């Protein structure tokens, strides 16, 4: 039986577990705070230390924020800051992270084949049905997104950095700081407005709302979004670590 070490890396915390081929957790999930400042070397060490506390696995899947192409970091929003999300960006960290081959580095460090994807993409792998056009939006520190067509992952777009109004990006507009400022009721209304605005852009067959804050959307606002919008558990960010290996199509070769 093939086992998978699944690691979900967020702006505030890093969670991990080991899953069997059916996606069942074989160990209780562990979580550690995301350390800052976070150069790639500390990132790899943090994941190694976390993995050492779990049963051994045959392969690994890592989801992390930002634009990841073929396991290489093009840009990451939080890990280039000095003390975490919304803090000052460190130019030295930007240089270190840009072009960092996370897949090769982690495969070598752990000694197993590795997948490194955007965290919303891993989350989506855990919930999509595999038919039609399916969009995944994760609500947490900011906004994550992933698009699947017939169960095949489409090239990643950093929707979170697109302007939504008054020069404000989606990341800022619906992220955790705004939820705290607005309160859940007004924030939930804002989420519905975002969903309404994106509907004609994607024409999805199903929209999944995940991430830690999706459970805070008020029922009355969720009900107004339509039957094609579903809230999914945040554990999908780990469970998706298994299905991600089957849903990538031919565009990604996981062999180091």
């Amino acid at each position: 039986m093939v086992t998978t070490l699944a690691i979900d890396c967020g702006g505030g915390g890093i969670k991990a577990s080991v899953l069997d081929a059916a996606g069942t957790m074989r160990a209780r999930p562990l979580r550690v705070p995301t350390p800052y400042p976070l150069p790639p070397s500390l990132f790899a060490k943090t994941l190694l230390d976390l993995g050492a506390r779990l049963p051994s696995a045959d392969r690994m899947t890592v989801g992390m924020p930002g634009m990841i192409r073929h396991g290489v970091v093009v840009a990451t929003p939080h890990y280039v800051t000095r003390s975490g999300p919304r803090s000052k960006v460190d130019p030295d960290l930007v240089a270190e992270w840009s072009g960092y081959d996370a897949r090769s580095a982690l495969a070598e460090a752990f000694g197993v084949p590795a997948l490194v994807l955007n965290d919303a993409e891993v989350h989506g792998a855990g919930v999509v049905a595999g038919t039609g056009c399916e969009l995944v939006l994760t609500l947490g520190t900011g906004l994550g997104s992933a698009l699947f067509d017939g169960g095949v992952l489409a090239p990643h777009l950093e929707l979170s950095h697109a302007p939504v109004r008054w020069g404000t990006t989606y990341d800022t507009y619906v992220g955790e700081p705004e939820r705290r400022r607005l309160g859940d009721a007004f924030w939930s209304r804002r989420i519905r407005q975002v969903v309404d605005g994106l509907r004609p852009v994607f024409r999805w067959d199903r929209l999944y709302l995940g991430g830690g804050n999706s459970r805070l959307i008020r029922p009355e606002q969720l009900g107004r979004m339509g039957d094609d919008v579903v809230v999914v558990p945040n554990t999908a960010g780990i469970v998706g670590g298994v299905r991600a290996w089957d849903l990538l199509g031919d565009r990604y070769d996981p062999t180091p």
Side-chain angles (χ1 to χ4, degrees):
M1 178 181 291
V2 176
T3 56
T4 305
L5 169 63
I7 306 179
D8 183 13
C9 306
I14 298 174
K15 303 183 291 292
S17 185
V18 172
L19 306 98
D20 63 21
T24 302
M25 293 186 190
R26 301 188 66 189
R28 191 173 189 175
L30 299 178
R31 183 187 186 279
V32 296
T34 304
Y36 290 99
L38 185 62
S41 58
L42 179 57
F43 174 75
K45 182 181 183 302
T46 301
L47 269 56
L48 268 173
D49 291 345
L50 191 58
R53 297 164 55 191
L54 292 165
S56 61
D58 302 303
R59 62 188 186 185
M60 67 184 300
T61 304
V62 175
M64 60 178 291
M67 175 71 78
I68 316 296
R69 289 183 181 149
H70 305 286
V72 176
V73 178
V74 178
T76 183
H78 310 311
Y79 299 165
V80 297
T81 61
R82 294 181 177 175
S83 56
R86 308 297 193 277
S87 66
K88 190 173 182 179
V89 171
D90 186 329
D92 292 335
L93 288 174
V94 173
E96 285 193 63
W97 276 105
S98 180
Y100 173 63
D101 190 344
R103 180 178 69 93
S104 295
L106 293 175
E108 181 178 356
F110 281 83
V112 297
L115 288 180
V116 179
L117 305 167
N118 173 272
D119 51 350
E121 294 175 340
V122 179
H123 197 104
V127 299
V128 295
T131 58
C133 178
E134 300 175 279
L135 178 66
V136 180
L137 297 178
T138 55
L139 305 168
T141 303
L143 175 73
S145 63
L147 184 65
F148 294 80
D149 181 25
V152 177
L153 179 62
H156 185 66
L157 300 176
E158 275 290 74
L159 178 64
S160 62
H161 295 311
V164 58
R165 60 182 299 185
W166 303 324
T168 302
T169 65
Y170 282 97
D171 217 25
T172 301
Y173 192 59
V174 298
E176 173 64 6
E178 275 296 274
R179 186 196 67 80
R180 290 181 178 179
R181 186 183 72 86
L182 293 171
D184 289 345
F186 284 100
W187 176 81
S188 297
R189 183 186 303 174
R190 183 170 285 188
I191 296 299
R192 178 178 59 81
Q193 292 170 344
V194 166
V195 168
D196 290 345
L198 292 177
R199 185 181 292 276
V201 176
F202 290 94
R203 298 286 181 178
W204 57 71
D205 294 301
R206 182 64 60 89
L207 168 63
Y208 302 93
L209 298 177
N213 284 348
S214 62
R215 61 184 175 82
L216 301 176
I217 299 174
R218 292 293 180 87
E220 63 272 17
Q221 297 299 333
L222 183 62
R224 295 178 64 182
M225 294 182 200
D227 295 337
D228 57 351
V229 181
V230 181
V231 171
V232 294
N234 195 34
T235 52
I238 291 180
V239 176
V242 175
R243 287 193 75 204
W245 286 81
D246 301 320
L247 297 180
L248 291 171
D250 297 329
R251 75 176 184 89
Y252 192 98
D253 179 7
T255 305

